Amino acid sequence: MDHGDHFIGAIASTAPRLESFYPGLSPQLLARVTQLWSAQGLDLEFHWHHALRKIPSFRSLPRIENSVDSAEVDLVFLFDQCLIWSRALHAAGTTGLSAGAEGLEPAQWHALAAISARLTEQLTALRLLALADLPMPAMQIARSLSEDVDMALVVLIRPKLARRFAECRTVTDANEFWRRHIAGGRAFRAISEKLYTVGIDHTSDTEYAKWRRHVLTILGAAVHSNALSVRLPERREGAVLLNNDSLHFATFRLHELCAYSLLVRPDLGEVLDGAGGDTAPALARLAAPLGLILINQIPSPMSPASAPETRRTAAHT
């Protein structure tokens, strides 16, 4: 750990505990996630303060006294770790590109850095929109984020495509690249073919593919439904978020990116570790181990702890 890390660690040690920014967070989930970080030799508090609270737009969740359970707060906590990982992936990508790190072609490092920068912006915007009760714009961003996840996987699979992306110099070039290689499910088809070789069937007639198309259709229709509505949606009593669909889908897709990237590139963890060596920034060194942590959190958004369970557990501790 360098002097900068020691300084940040000192700040984190005197700052409010992270759970104070998530009122109503399930203690069971926090304990489970903290254990996952510790198993990788990482301090959750240190990295959370370093990578998340430094974002200028960061804000804590509102305290809702009559919230029926912890599900929405738990979701934001899980989502925020995806945001940290996106920042870490960007740091590793830029470090790998500048250092000429092995394992990926320069064009792949370039593409990974660029795409993760977009993902970070989109995740940051989604967080703001969700907490500001603006679900429709959030749904539009979630659809774009999903395409960027596909693109990140494609450039890991196809170095030639990464080189074409790196050669884009104008907005016209970028739009043409997107139209020819990413839009309309083109990237997903390439990913499905690669995943099929390792035993995962995501062809167009599978239940997953049908669900994915259904969700993306709903997200894509957000702009039209918003234009047709003459009334603003109303917050539900005791709700932390007005609409958590976009955060849930974004968290799911980032978890998928972590898992599938290791399936299509089994050496990716070592590659990212090589880019984020001992002299690299703290965020770059975080990319590989945090990816494994997120993979282990995949079941969590599906089974959040409820407030009554939390209270009963607290009463017996």
Side-chain angles (χ1 to χ4, degrees):
M1 184 177 290
D2 57 31
H3 293 301
D5 291 347
H6 281 297
F7 177 70
I8 296 167
I11 294 175
S13 66
T14 59
R17 301 289 295 179
L18 73 84
E19 56 262 38
S20 67
F21 296 88
Y22 302 91
L25 176 66
S26 161
Q28 298 101 314
L29 177 61
L30 178 59
R32 185 163 69 245
V33 169
T34 301
Q35 185 178 36
L36 289 172
W37 282 71
S38 296
Q40 292 293 328
L42 298 171
D43 186 331
L44 173 59
E45 284 280 345
F46 164 74
H47 288 289
W48 185 88
H49 282 279
H50 180 198
L52 195 65
R53 283 201 68 200
K54 288 178 66 177
I55 297 175
S57 61
F58 177 81
R59 54 181 285 196
S60 61
L61 273 64
R63 180 177 295 277
I64 306 296
E65 299 297 342
N66 58 345
S67 181
V68 295
D69 59 34
S70 68
E72 292 175 324
V73 179
D74 293 353
L75 174 59
V76 179
F77 178 57
L78 295 167
F79 172 89
D80 282 349
Q81 291 173 78
C82 294
L83 178 50
I84 294 173
W85 181 70
S86 180
R87 293 198 64 204
L89 187 63
H90 176 66
T94 54
T95 301
L97 178 62
S98 62
E102 298 180 353
L104 295 176
E105 292 189 5
Q108 290 176 297
W109 284 120
H110 170 91
L112 205 60
I115 296 167
S116 57
R118 273 177 54 91
L119 286 172
T120 299
E121 290 181 349
Q122 291 164 336
L123 291 167
T124 303
L126 276 176
R127 193 182 197 280
L128 279 173
L129 292 169
L131 295 182
D133 289 351
L134 296 170
M136 292 303 179
M139 292 171 73
Q140 296 165 39
I141 292 175
R143 181 181 175 90
S144 177
L145 177 144
S146 184
E147 291 181 334
D148 281 336
V149 168
D150 287 345
M151 184 173 170
L153 289 168
V154 165
V155 298
L156 290 174
I157 296 169
R158 298 184 174 179
K160 184 177 180 180
L161 200 63
R163 290 195 292 273
R164 290 180 181 175
F165 173 75
E167 290 167 358
C168 294
R169 293 292 181 268
T170 66
V171 173
T172 301
D173 292 342
N175 287 338
E176 179 63 16
F177 174 87
W178 200 265
R179 185 187 65 80
R180 293 187 61 182
H181 302 294
I182 308 299
R186 291 172 178 81
F188 177 64
R189 286 194 291 273
I191 297 164
S192 298
E193 292 171 5
K194 182 65 176 180
L195 290 174
Y196 187 78
T197 66
V198 296
I200 298 179
D201 186 3
H202 278 347
T203 49
S204 59
D205 59 344
T206 61
E207 287 301 316
Y208 172 85
K210 293 175 182 176
W211 171 83
R212 175 190 166 97
R213 285 197 301 270
H214 175 69
V215 172
L216 292 176
T217 298
I218 292 173
L219 296 176
V223 62
H224 305 297
S225 59
N226 198 36
L228 294 173
S229 177
V230 295
R231 297 182 60 186
L232 291 172
E234 297 179 357
R235 176 184 284 277
R236 289 178 289 108
E237 181 70 18
V240 176
L241 304 172
L242 184 65
N243 186 309
N244 63 17
D245 290 347
S246 297
L247 288 191
H248 192 285
F249 184 64
T251 303
F252 174 79
R253 293 256 50 209
L254 265 293
H255 285 175
E256 273 195 329
L257 176 55
C258 291
Y260 290 165
S261 62
L262 290 179
L263 288 175
V264 302
R265 285 295 306 258
D267 64 337
L268 186 61
E270 291 80 3
V271 170
L272 292 176
D273 273 335
D278 292 340
T279 60
L283 267 176
R285 300 197 302 271
L286 185 61
L290 182 50
L292 296 176
I293 292 170
L294 293 189
I295 290 172
N296 279 288
Q297 291 182 29
I298 287 176
S300 298
M302 305 301 177
S303 55
S306 67
E309 291 173 344
T310 297
R311 286 193 291 269
R312 284 197 300 270
T313 301
H316 288 84
T317 57

